[in-house]
Amino acid sequence: MEKGKITLNDIARIAGVTIGTVDRAMHNRSGISEKTRQKILDIAKEYDYKPDIIGRSLSMKRKRLKIGVLLRREPTFFWDHAARGIRVAAKEMEAFGINPQIEYFHMTSGFTDEEYIAMYRSTLIQMNEDHKNAFILVPVNHPFLVEDVNFLNKKGIPVVTLNDDREDSQRIFHIGPDTYQSGRVAAQLTGGLLSGQGRVLLYTANYSSSGYFLRKKGFMDKMHESYPDIHITERNQKTVLEAFYGGDVDIRSFDCICNIDGATVSEGVALLKQKGDVDFIKYIGFEINSDVKEHLADGSIHAVISQDAFSQGYFALRMLCEYLVYAKQPKYDRMFVRCDIILKENMIINDRIVNPYFMGD
Amino acid sequence: MEKGKITLNDIARIAGVTIGTVDRAMHNRSGISEKTRQKILDIAKEYDYKPDIIGRSLSMKRKRLKIGVLLRREPTFFWDHAARGIRVAAKEMEAFGINPQIEYFHMTSGFTDEEYIAMYRSTLIQMNEDHKNAFILVPVNHPFLVEDVNFLNKKGIPVVTLNDDREDSQRIFHIGPDTYQSGRVAAQLTGGLLSGQGRVLLYTANYSSSGYFLRKKGFMDKMHESYPDIHITERNQKTVLEAFYGGDVDIRSFDCICNIDGATVSEGVALLKQKGDVDFIKYIGFEINSDVKEHLADGSIHAVISQDAFSQGYFALRMLCEYLVYAKQPKYDRMFVRCDIILKENMIINDRIVNPYFMGD
DNA sequence: CTGAAAGCGCTTACAG
DNA sequence: CTGAAAGCGCTTACAG
């Protein structure tokens, strides 16, 4: 008997029982004597039994895995990529009958916080009525979120948090950007580009997100450690217009703009172009979309750091499925996607580049 | 009948035939009347039949897919990663019973070209005697390679080329680095770092490889286009010692060393450290290993560009399996892996970063 | 030219 | 506590 190639049927034959009994032993099901269970487990161990995933999958066909996914809506380029990552992973796992149902919720304008929470919660309840096997959620910042996650968990419905985390909840794991580290990467790029000298304008429209706060902190920490001679001016006005041209700002006195806030990058560059200042200042941003690609191509953006939403979605679904199908526990309960540095010359412009980004097409 | 969820059994029932006949129709097998075949195909189309990959796989278990893989040996860190990518992909596809047999051949020293070719070829023949279903090969530069690839292809054994390509052969597709583009990326990094001014030492131990030649060309092209004021000195001595300190070289007259030749990067940096020159010059290299990681961490290397061997192996096996199992033709017959820019702050130092590099562990 | 059946490796409802 | 059997969706060797 070749090691590792043994099947449940083989074990049954060796143990002198039937396959049903073997199954009971392997899955710690009830209705089996301790003695037979031990005998069977010993045999399994001796012959290094590994369950055949595809036999199991075929048999599992009867109950397809329904996974509820609740994402944000804006910025759309970002969340579209996340949804795409989820669909690609689902397609890869289609052998296991994964069936993700993706819903979105808006966080932009026109509603009070309470109204958002209510909308979010009602969507969640509605999705759950369809008897989901698991959820992938982008959490909102409200105590109920923890309650609901814990409730689902108690009912045996695991929850994964995407992009934002609630460590105080019983989500089984989290996948998101390493925002602090991405700030450090931006600082190293900036410092290298300025040879450790000069003036930097650091801009964010939105510090309310803890992600942006952490990114700024990463940027500042790395600057203080490695480039103490660079002078940093923070601006966090609501619009790039105010930030770059409001008050008594002389934009040309800066050597570099670092735009912490991924959502306003292309807007910021467009403004510099319009004012005729774009050639006098280096621009470093976050995240990539088609506008940003154009700015990279024509040289008006030097670099962006991407912690791509696609990978977040892809790995969230994939690791969740491995958890559901193989009972494989992720190594950590908090994981991050890579910080990719994207310049004109290494941005991906065609699909001859093999890459998870394109595997689903 | 839900669209797309129809099975062969359903079709058989609808057509009033048995599943064996449906199978004959779907696979263009002989022994079926044109009329029944048409009827069955029409039904399949109408109900949007998609074969269930996992049913097929289970049934295919009887003939596991044996794939022969022939890689180089040196530099080991590189080919170990390629082999690892292949194993990870095989594990991911284990549902389909993929069984890669990986062999290596040396290209270093002590043999004539003819002897190498003979060794390579005998290994290939030996592997093929085990009735492989497909091959992944790192080609050697000899006409016989084309002959053998074409011979295998004619016998219905597809061949994929890895890292190097032979476009004149009938390999079904190629995956490798985009060496020309990686040279351009290095040039953009260098140019940015020097703000378009200064002197660069461009070093390669080995121009005989067409990969290094193309990389150099990419570097030069981008420099001429974007940073015409940077002065470039080429050195291609056999050792870094000769290149950096041989003749009348004053290494400190350079602002930056760009080391085209991925295999000598850590050696070069170690030499600069030993001579006390490392703080006076920026270093840009290619490929990453544990030594290079240390140099990145302590700041003696500014950046490396990685076209990781892992991905080459991973995608080669994966796309080959998709070809064998689903008959899925890759979009292009020549594909490249990404050029990743790696600085101290974004190099991956722990496995909390979700990444194909770590998916197999 | 077509049918009937076994088999891939597992899970699960049912019978005893 | 254990067994016997059906079934997941496909492929294939054999019978007619």
Side-chain angles (χ1 to χ4, degrees):
Chain A
M1 186 62 59
E2 194 190 342
K3 284 253 179 187
K5 301 291 174 208
I6 199 171
T7 72
L8 289 186
N9 257 313
D10 297 328
I11 295 181
R13 206 168 13 77
I14 296 168
V17 296
T18 158
I19 184 175
T21 307
V22 175
D23 185 68
R24 274 181 279 269
M26 305 302 289
H27 291 86
N28 283 312
R29 281 193 244 285
S30 61
I32 180 171
S33 75
E34 195 43 48
K35 203 178 135 208
T36 4
R37 178 194 303 283
Q38 239 353 294
K39 184 161 96 186
I40 288 168
L41 290 181
D42 286 349
I43 295 172
K45 192 160 190 186
E46 181 186 349
Y47 289 90
D48 192 24
Y49 171 74
K50 299 244 187 298
D52 182 293
I53 195 60
I54 112 130
R56 169 181 292 170
S57 308
L58 190 57
S59 147
M60 291 284 221
K61 272 263 149 148
R62 302 170 190 183
K63 43 170 186 181
R64 300 181 85 80
L65 290 175
K66 282 187 281 187
I67 296 178
V69 181
L70 190 44
L71 303 179
R72 296 214 182 114
R73 181 73 79 185
E74 279 93 12
T76 46
F77 78 85
F78 189 86
W79 294 104
D80 285 354
H81 272 139
R84 185 144 166 279
I86 287 168
R87 281 194 302 268
V88 167
K91 201 180 164 199
E92 275 187 35
M93 306 260 145
E94 73 180 341
F96 309 117
I98 308 305
N99 193 357
Q101 177 201 345
I102 304 179
E103 301 279 352
Y104 300 88
F105 69 100
H106 289 268
M107 285 292 282
T108 32
S109 63
F111 295 97
T112 66
D113 281 4
E114 293 308 312
E115 284 170 328
Y116 276 127
I117 302 299
M119 282 161 55
Y120 184 96
R121 193 163 202 178
S122 80
T123 310
L124 196 54
I125 290 169
Q126 214 176 320
M127 291 176 88
N128 194 32
E129 274 166 5
D130 188 29
H131 299 290
K132 296 283 183 279
N133 300 96
F135 278 96
I136 297 175
L137 300 180
V138 180
V140 287
N141 190 17
H142 191 279
F144 101 81
L145 195 275
V146 176
E147 272 173 44
D148 284 6
V149 168
N150 293 357
F151 173 76
L152 288 168
N153 187 64
K154 192 170 290 168
K155 287 187 54 175
I157 300 170
V159 175
V160 173
T161 55
L162 188 77
N163 200 257
D164 294 320
D165 196 12
R166 285 301 303 251
E167 291 191 77
D168 53 344
S169 74
Q170 292 166 22
R171 89 282 187 271
I172 55 164
F173 64 85
H174 164 77
I175 291 197
D178 191 349
T179 39
Y180 176 79
Q181 197 62 36
S182 71
R184 293 185 64 95
V185 176
Q188 187 177 7
L189 271 177
T190 307
L193 210 53
L194 302 187
S195 300
Q197 306 282 353
R199 285 165 52 81
V200 174
L201 177 65
L202 191 66
Y203 171 66
T204 309
N206 178 6
Y207 274 135
S208 69
S209 155
S210 71
Y212 292 140
F213 179 80
L214 274 175
R215 187 174 281 165
K216 188 196 82 173
K217 184 166 185 331
F219 188 90
M220 297 305 250
D221 285 356
K222 173 69 182 175
M223 277 296 183
H224 290 148
E225 284 170 31
S226 302
Y227 307 102
D229 295 341
I230 288 182
H231 183 266
I232 298 160
T233 304
E234 275 187 67
R235 302 280 287 170
N236 61 340
Q237 281 68 11
K238 269 201 180 146
T239 67
V240 284
L241 184 64
E242 284 175 84
F244 296 177
Y245 295 98
D248 51 356
V249 179
D250 176 11
I251 194 73
R252 291 209 189 171
S253 72
F254 293 101
D255 303 291
C256 181
I257 294 175
C258 183
N259 196 333
I260 293 287
D261 176 1
T264 57
V265 170
S266 56
E267 202 185 326
V269 177
L271 180 63
L272 289 186
K273 279 182 175 172
Q274 183 197 320
K275 297 275 189 180
D277 290 327
V278 75
D279 294 334
F280 298 92
I281 197 155
K282 287 159 180 160
Y283 210 104
I284 288 181
F286 286 85
E287 315 309 343
I288 187 156
N289 59 34
S290 53
D291 288 338
V292 169
K293 279 189 179 179
E294 283 177 27
H295 295 314
L296 279 164
D298 71 18
S300 47
I301 295 182
H302 180 78
V304 294
I305 292 140
S306 161
Q307 297 202 270
D308 72 281
F310 179 96
S311 291
Q312 288 187 40
Y314 176 86
F315 286 109
L317 187 79
R318 179 172 162 156
M319 298 177 92
L320 176 56
C321 290
E322 290 179 339
Y323 176 84
L324 294 168
V325 177
Y326 305 71
K328 179 177 166 188
Q329 203 81 32
K331 270 195 182 169
Y332 302 97
D333 74 334
R334 217 175 130 73
M335 287 158 297
F336 305 115
V337 294
R338 308 183 352 174
C339 296
D340 287 326
I341 298 169
I342 302 175
L343 309 180
K344 173 182 178 180
E345 294 297 338
N346 79 324
M347 81 179 155
I348 293 176
I349 46 171
N350 69 55
D351 50 4
R352 278 179 190 258
I353 310 292
V354 288
N355 191 300
Y357 288 79
F358 294 108
M359 290 308 285
D361 292 343
Chain B
M1 186 60 60
E2 196 190 342
K3 285 255 180 184
K5 301 292 174 204
I6 200 172
T7 73
L8 289 188
N9 257 313
D10 298 328
I11 295 181
R13 204 166 16 76
I14 295 168
V17 296
T18 158
I19 184 175
T21 307
V22 175
D23 185 68
R24 275 180 279 268
M26 304 303 288
H27 291 85
N28 284 311
R29 282 192 244 285
S30 61
I32 180 172
S33 76
E34 196 42 48
K35 201 178 136 208
T36 3
R37 179 196 301 283
Q38 240 349 297
K39 184 160 97 184
I40 288 168
L41 291 181
D42 286 348
I43 294 173
K45 192 161 191 187
E46 181 186 351
Y47 288 91
D48 192 23
Y49 171 74
K50 299 243 187 299
D52 183 294
I53 195 61
I54 110 131
R56 167 181 294 169
S57 308
L58 189 57
S59 149
M60 292 282 220
K61 271 264 147 146
R62 300 168 191 185
K63 45 170 184 182
R64 300 182 84 82
L65 290 175
K66 282 188 280 188
I67 297 178
V69 181
L70 189 45
L71 304 178
R72 295 214 180 114
R73 182 72 81 185
E74 281 93 11
T76 47
F77 78 85
F78 189 86
W79 294 105
D80 285 354
H81 272 141
R84 184 141 168 279
I86 287 168
R87 281 194 302 268
V88 167
K91 203 181 164 199
E92 275 186 36
M93 305 262 146
E94 72 181 341
F96 309 117
I98 308 304
N99 194 357
Q101 178 202 343
I102 304 179
E103 301 280 352
Y104 300 88
F105 70 101
H106 289 268
M107 285 291 282
T108 33
S109 63
F111 294 97
T112 66
D113 280 3
E114 293 308 313
E115 284 171 327
Y116 276 127
I117 302 297
M119 282 160 56
Y120 184 97
R121 194 163 201 178
S122 81
T123 310
L124 196 54
I125 290 169
Q126 214 176 318
M127 291 176 89
N128 194 33
E129 275 166 5
D130 189 28
H131 299 290
K132 297 284 183 278
N133 302 95
F135 277 97
I136 297 174
L137 300 181
V138 181
V140 287
N141 190 15
H142 191 280
F144 101 80
L145 196 276
V146 176
E147 274 172 43
D148 283 7
V149 167
N150 294 357
F151 173 76
L152 288 168
N153 187 63
K154 193 170 291 169
K155 287 187 55 176
I157 300 170
V159 175
V160 173
T161 56
L162 188 77
N163 200 258
D164 294 319
D165 196 13
R166 285 302 302 251
E167 291 190 76
D168 52 344
S169 75
Q170 290 166 24
R171 89 284 186 271
I172 56 164
F173 64 87
H174 164 77
I175 291 196
D178 191 349
T179 39
Y180 175 80
Q181 196 62 37
S182 71
R184 292 186 65 96
V185 176
Q188 186 176 9
L189 270 176
T190 306
L193 211 53
L194 303 187
S195 300
Q197 306 282 353
R199 286 166 52 82
V200 174
L201 177 66
L202 191 65
Y203 171 66
T204 308
N206 177 7
Y207 273 135
S208 68
S209 155
S210 70
Y212 292 141
F213 179 79
L214 274 177
R215 186 174 282 165
K216 188 196 83 174
K217 184 165 185 333
F219 188 89
M220 297 304 249
D221 285 356
K222 173 69 181 175
M223 277 296 183
H224 291 148
E225 283 169 33
S226 303
Y227 307 103
D229 295 340
I230 289 181
H231 183 266
I232 298 162
T233 304
E234 275 187 67
R235 302 280 287 171
N236 61 338
Q237 282 66 12
K238 271 203 178 145
T239 68
V240 284
L241 185 63
E242 284 175 84
F244 296 177
Y245 295 98
D248 51 357
V249 179
D250 176 10
I251 194 74
R252 290 209 190 172
S253 72
F254 294 101
D255 303 291
C256 182
I257 294 175
C258 183
N259 196 333
I260 293 288
D261 176 0
T264 57
V265 170
S266 56
E267 203 186 323
V269 177
L271 179 63
L272 288 186
K273 279 182 174 171
Q274 182 198 320
K275 297 275 189 181
D277 290 326
V278 76
D279 294 335
F280 298 93
I281 197 154
K282 286 158 180 161
Y283 209 104
I284 288 181
F286 285 86
E287 313 310 342
I288 186 156
N289 58 33
S290 54
D291 288 338
V292 169
K293 280 189 180 181
E294 282 177 27
H295 295 315
L296 279 165
D298 71 17
S300 46
I301 295 183
H302 180 78
V304 293
I305 292 139
S306 161
Q307 297 202 269
D308 72 279
F310 179 95
S311 292
Q312 288 186 41
Y314 176 85
F315 285 109
L317 187 79
R318 181 174 161 153
M319 297 174 93
L320 177 55
C321 291
E322 290 178 338
Y323 176 84
L324 293 168
V325 177
Y326 305 73
K328 179 177 165 188
Q329 204 81 31
K331 271 195 182 168
Y332 302 97
D333 73 335
R334 216 174 129 72
M335 287 158 297
F336 305 115
V337 295
R338 309 182 351 172
C339 296
D340 287 326
I341 297 168
I342 302 176
L343 310 180
K344 171 182 179 179
E345 294 296 337
N346 79 325
M347 81 178 155
I348 293 176
I349 46 172
N350 69 56
D351 50 3
R352 279 179 188 258
I353 310 292
V354 288
N355 191 298
Y357 288 79
F358 294 109
M359 290 308 284
D361 292 343

